[in-house]
């Protein structure tokens, strides 16, 4: 067969043919070009390495017996340079053992001379198909990884996926973002992720915890000062606004800011300029403002301790981070990540959690949120005597929680006026379901009843996922 017939995997595939025999090299190149491949050729291993150093190929087809660098040595070098490139060795009859040895070192396949054209094309197509599949799997794994990870934040729960989606949509704008959530939910990590994905990523990320800076110093920290502005100001100092110019200024615990400073912050955001202490000159600033709080700012506005106009200026895009107890499905993923990180940090072998210990983690309330979980895992890895961590490796407060869950140490006291038991039971079941986002397994364990019993109780009380929160106005 001499006519052109494209091989299925030939489209755009680039091949490098290496053979010291000119006739063999030209014959192979001709066959492969007529099959639709783009082909370059080299007369030996060293020339092949030179070509591979300046160009990428989808496959290397090389003879085994060559003077100087033989096919096996070329394979070993390519494994170091481009391990993803498949290599097919051509061997003489009787040297199959060498070809098998080469495959153990990473060759994709081998051809025993003499071979037919169809056999050649079949082996190449198989190797290229395998390479394509491996590339697709790697791409899918990468895409999947990105779905549950954004910067240093992990989560597969619907709430976290929605936050990742919002961040992807607003990161490349300059709109202010107000990040809200309990302590330990990762507000600064979210701010850093927004900065990292923004057009300002190459600029500085400057964080200021408004609750950590003494009130008397907060204004100078914000806006900077000139030499002699106050006692001790022996030289001029740029404030955080100027330091963040070209990048992002992250204002954590914004609710702790004095009301008089809020007016100056509002002016700086609106006018995009500041005045240093001790100076009347306006200094232009160019920083994106991200802020965070764990406080109820709406309530602070009602108490007149937070400016309503500043709230609306900062809250253009609100992000509410859910507490860990409301995304229990993320706990296995977070735990696995913290186990690996802790093992690396302390130079320990990788650990695994028993199912019982994982159940306990998923039913704990985690008032300190992700930070508390991270500290818990670090402690377990540090103190464990083995690599399989069970209930006995949990911190004492979690072990006590486990004991309470099995009814061995209940502190519940019957009120003097008694209780309405069915209403109490319904209330606890609903609370457990909401805490576990209606994951019946963890909810049942939280209540100390079986999965089927919980299903029966849900049906008995007519509970539905769309029921309003108790005490809500709706």
């Amino acid at each position: 067969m001499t006519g052109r017939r494209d091989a299925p995997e030939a489209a755009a595939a680039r091949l490098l043919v290496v053979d010291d025999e000119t006739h063999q090299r030209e014959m192979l190149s001709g066959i492969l070009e007529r099959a639709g491949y783009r082909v370059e050729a080299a007369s030996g291993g060293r020339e092949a390495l030179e070509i591979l150093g300046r160009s990428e190929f989808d496959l290397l087809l090389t003879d085994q017996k060559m003077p100087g660098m033989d096919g096996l040595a070329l394979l070993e070098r390519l494994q170091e340079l481009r391990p993803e490139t498949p290599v097919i060795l051509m061997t003489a009859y009787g040297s199959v053992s060498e070809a098998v040895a080469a495959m153990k070192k990473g060759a994709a396949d081998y051809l025993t001379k003499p071979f037919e054209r169809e056999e050649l094309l079949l082996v190449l197509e198989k190797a290229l198909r395998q390479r394509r599949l491996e590339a697709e799997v790697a791409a899918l794994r990468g895409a999947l990884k990105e779905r549950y990870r954004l910067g240093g934040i992990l989560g597969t729960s619907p709430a976290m996926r929605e936050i990742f989606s919002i961040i992807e949509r607003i990161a490349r704008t300059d709109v202010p973002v107000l990040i809200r959530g309990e302590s330990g939910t990762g507000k600064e990590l979210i701010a850093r992720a927004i900065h990292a994905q923004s057009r300002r990523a190459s600029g500085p990320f400057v964080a200021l915890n408004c609750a950590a800076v003494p009130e008397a110093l907060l204004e100078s920290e914000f806006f900077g000062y000139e030499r002699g502005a106050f006692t001790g100001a022996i030289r001029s100092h740029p404030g955080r606004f100027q330091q963040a110019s070209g990048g992002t200024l992250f204002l954590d615990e914004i609710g702790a800011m004095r009301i008089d400073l809020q007016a100056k912050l509002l002016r700086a955001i609106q006018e995009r300029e500041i005045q240093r202490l001790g100076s009347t000159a306006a200094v232009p600033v160019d920083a994106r403002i991200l802020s965070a709080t764990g406080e109820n700012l709406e309530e602070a506005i009602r108490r007149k301790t937070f400016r309503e106009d500043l709230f609306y200026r900062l809250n253009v895009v609100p992000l509410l981070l859910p507490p860990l107890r409301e995304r229990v499905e993320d706990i296995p993923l977070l735990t696995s990540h913290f186990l690996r990180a802790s093992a690396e940090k302390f130079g320990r072998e990788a650990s695994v959690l028993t199912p019982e210990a994982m159940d306990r983690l998923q039913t704990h309330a985690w008032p300190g949120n992700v930070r508390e979980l991270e500290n818990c895992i670090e402690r377990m890895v540090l103190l464990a005597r083995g690599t399989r961590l069970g209930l006995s490796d949990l911190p004492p407060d979690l072990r006590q929680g486990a004991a309470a869950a099995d009814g061995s140490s209940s502190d519940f006291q019957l009120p003097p006026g008694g209780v309405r038991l069915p209403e109490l039971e319904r209330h606890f079941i609903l609370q457990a379901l909401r805490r576990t986002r209606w994951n019946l397994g963890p909810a049942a364990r939280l209540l100390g009843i079986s999965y089927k019993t919980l299903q029966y109780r849900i049906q008995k009380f007519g509970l539905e996922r769309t029921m309003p929160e108790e005490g809500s106005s709706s």
Side-chain angles (χ1 to χ4, degrees):
M1 295 177 67
T2 56
R4 172 167 179 151
R5 182 181 66 81
D6 286 357
E9 298 292 331
R14 294 190 70 203
L15 311 183
L16 179 59
V17 175
V18 188
D19 201 310
D20 60 310
E21 295 182 16
T22 304
H23 172 72
Q24 184 75 3
R25 192 168 63 242
E26 291 177 350
M27 182 196 70
L28 289 169
S29 297
I31 292 173
L32 296 174
E33 285 172 350
R34 286 193 292 277
Y37 293 106
R38 293 181 294 156
V39 182
E40 285 194 42
S43 59
R46 299 198 185 285
E47 183 184 352
L49 285 176
E50 289 178 10
I51 296 174
L52 288 163
R54 60 176 184 266
S55 302
E56 288 191 12
F57 291 86
D58 298 298
L59 184 142
L60 177 71
L61 175 66
T62 179
D63 193 18
Q64 161 63 3
K65 295 289 185 186
M66 294 187 294
M69 179 180 285
D70 64 14
L72 191 57
L74 178 59
L75 166 67
E76 290 174 342
R77 289 298 311 275
L78 194 61
Q79 287 283 302
E80 297 171 2
L81 298 172
R82 301 185 189 280
E84 72 282 2
T85 305
V87 177
I88 294 175
L89 261 78
M90 298 176 288
T91 67
Y93 178 77
S95 59
V96 175
S97 59
E98 290 181 7
V100 173
M103 288 195 67
K104 288 182 179 177
K105 292 189 175 183
D109 212 334
Y110 66 90
L111 288 160
T112 305
K113 296 177 182 177
F115 48 80
E116 299 292 331
R117 172 184 177 277
E118 293 302 325
E119 184 185 5
L120 169 67
L121 296 181
L122 194 64
V123 169
L124 261 60
E125 287 172 17
K126 178 184 166 189
L128 288 168
R129 190 181 305 118
Q130 181 65 26
R131 182 181 190 270
R132 178 176 55 78
L133 289 174
E134 288 173 356
E136 288 175 358
V137 169
L140 286 171
R141 282 178 176 162
L144 187 62
K145 185 178 178 182
E146 289 306 314
R147 280 185 195 174
Y148 69 73
R149 183 172 196 133
L150 183 71
I153 315 155
L154 298 172
T156 58
S157 60
M160 293 309 294
R161 289 206 301 267
E162 175 62 17
I163 286 171
F164 293 167
S165 172
I166 293 173
I167 290 174
E168 287 173 356
R169 280 176 274 162
I170 56 94
R172 294 187 64 76
T173 69
D174 268 352
V175 295
V177 179
L178 178 60
I179 307 163
R180 310 178 77 168
E182 296 178 6
S183 177
T185 49
K187 296 187 285 293
E188 183 166 341
L189 283 176
I190 290 288
R192 290 185 179 277
I194 294 171
H195 172 73
Q197 295 206 2
S198 74
R199 292 173 297 187
R200 298 172 174 269
S202 60
F205 177 88
V206 177
L208 177 65
N209 187 326
C210 301
V213 180
E215 283 196 5
L217 300 179
L218 201 51
E219 185 171 1
S220 60
E221 279 295 318
F222 255 117
F223 305 116
Y225 53 84
E226 296 293 344
R227 179 182 178 185
F230 50 84
T231 304
I234 57 176
R235 65 177 64 88
S236 297
H237 178 72
R240 301 298 177 98
F241 256 104
Q242 269 188 282
Q243 293 171 20
S245 203
T248 299
L249 177 60
F250 174 55
L251 304 175
D252 199 2
E253 301 295 350
I254 188 70
M257 181 178 288
R258 288 196 329 249
I259 193 83
D260 59 316
L261 273 183
Q262 292 175 24
K264 294 184 178 180
L265 172 62
L266 180 64
R267 182 180 180 282
I269 294 173
Q270 289 176 334
E271 305 298 329
R272 304 182 74 81
E273 62 182 28
I274 59 161
Q275 283 184 343
R276 288 182 174 185
L277 286 176
S279 170
T280 57
V283 179
V285 290
D286 173 31
R288 182 183 192 176
I289 304 298
L290 304 177
S291 51
T293 184
E295 291 187 32
N296 184 336
L297 291 185
E298 291 82 353
E299 179 58 31
I301 292 169
R302 281 191 285 275
R303 293 197 314 266
K304 308 293 185 187
T305 57
F306 200 85
R307 292 181 64 107
E308 187 173 14
D309 48 5
L310 178 59
F311 172 76
Y312 287 115
R313 176 64 68 172
L314 298 174
N315 194 40
V316 177
V317 174
L319 280 179
L320 177 60
L321 301 188
L324 188 55
R325 63 182 174 277
E326 292 182 6
R327 55 182 186 113
V328 291
E329 59 267 57
D330 288 338
I331 290 178
L333 176 68
L334 289 163
T335 300
S336 175
H337 169 74
F338 291 142
L339 282 171
R340 285 195 301 272
S342 299
E344 187 175 336
K345 180 178 180 180
F346 300 123
R348 303 291 174 86
E349 287 185 53
S351 302
V352 294
L353 237 63
T354 64
E356 295 77 17
M358 181 60 78
D359 282 349
R360 183 61 200 126
L361 295 185
Q362 288 189 277
T363 53
H364 184 57
W366 298 111
N369 292 294
V370 179
R371 188 181 300 132
E372 183 188 0
L373 174 63
E374 181 178 12
N375 292 342
C376 169
I377 300 298
E378 276 197 0
R379 179 186 184 281
M380 292 174 74
V381 170
L382 190 61
L383 300 181
R385 291 187 173 86
T387 57
R388 187 173 169 80
L389 310 181
L391 288 173
S392 62
D393 295 299
L394 290 171
D397 57 328
L398 266 76
R399 287 203 299 270
Q400 288 166 6
D406 65 17
S408 62
S409 64
S410 173
D411 288 330
F412 288 120
Q413 296 292 322
L414 184 67
V419 297
R420 301 177 70 177
L421 193 57
E423 288 186 12
L424 194 63
E425 184 184 12
R426 177 183 178 281
H427 173 77
F428 277 129
I429 291 173
L430 199 54
Q431 198 176 108
L433 290 168
R434 284 176 174 151
R435 181 178 293 180
T436 60
R437 299 182 71 85
W438 282 76
N439 286 300
L440 300 197
R445 288 190 288 275
L446 203 58
L447 294 163
I449 59 178
S450 70
Y451 188 94
K452 284 189 175 179
T453 301
L454 178 57
Q455 284 182 310
Y456 169 74
R457 294 284 196 277
I458 290 171
Q459 189 174 13
K460 172 186 170 183
F461 290 116
L463 301 178
E464 295 179 0
R465 193 166 190 164
T466 54
M467 294 178 73
E469 293 281 349
E470 291 179 358
S472 69
S473 57
S474 57

